[in-house]
Amino acid sequence: MFWKILLTLGVVALVYGSLRARRRAELIARGQEVEPPLVPPGLVRRLAWGLVALMLIGTGVYLFQGWLERREPVQVQVVNANTGGIVLYQAHRGDIDGRRFTTIDGREIRLADVERMIILPVGTAD
């Protein structure tokens, strides 16, 4: 949440700086005297590029973490509610979709209405 607010403030600051620079250029074109800028334009440009680089790096890290999480192996227990029988499978977290999943060895499993799925970290066996 904090990063969303920070990003919004950054965009507002960039738009404000852009509008101020445009206004300054108009005053110079008319030959009117303008006051020197508070922050040198080169510094603003470097800060803007730094913000863009930071956002790209953050996006890359977020996507990489999501990819790692989807590739995480998990143990899937399929429990038959009528008989109480338990069947164990291993799948990647990203291969689980509702009432069906694909195991690590490529089998596609679809659960019946009387079955339920329990997802556990690998190595946890009851």
Side-chain angles (χ1 to χ4, degrees):
M1 182 68 178
F2 173 72
W3 292 109
K4 290 179 184 179
I5 293 171
L6 189 62
L7 176 64
T8 303
L9 290 175
V11 169
V12 168
L14 288 174
V15 169
Y16 173 76
S18 173
L19 292 176
R20 184 176 167 137
R22 184 179 297 164
R23 173 76 174 141
R24 182 168 191 230
E26 289 174 0
L27 289 176
I28 291 173
R30 288 189 210 146
Q32 297 177 348
E33 193 173 311
V34 286
E35 59 190 48
L38 295 174
V39 180
L43 178 63
V44 172
R45 189 172 295 118
R46 284 191 298 261
L47 287 174
W49 280 111
L51 181 63
V52 168
L54 183 67
M55 288 189 302
L56 288 174
I57 290 169
T59 300
V61 168
Y62 175 77
L63 291 174
F64 182 70
Q65 285 179 341
W67 178 79
L68 283 179
E69 183 178 334
R70 287 188 305 274
R71 300 305 307 156
E72 176 187 7
V74 292
Q75 185 175 20
V76 180
Q77 292 182 352
V78 177
V79 180
N80 186 320
N82 290 339
T83 64
I86 297 175
V87 181
L88 299 176
Y89 299 99
Q90 281 195 357
H92 294 289
R93 190 176 295 277
D95 292 337
I96 300 172
D97 182 30
R99 298 192 58 81
R100 64 178 167 210
F101 61 93
T102 304
T103 63
I104 289 178
D105 59 353
R107 293 181 288 169
E108 185 173 322
I109 309 296
R110 295 177 189 209
L111 275 62
D113 290 338
V114 296
E115 295 176 323
R116 62 187 175 117
M117 180 187 329
I118 302 172
I119 301 171
L120 301 168
V122 170
T124 306
D126 291 334

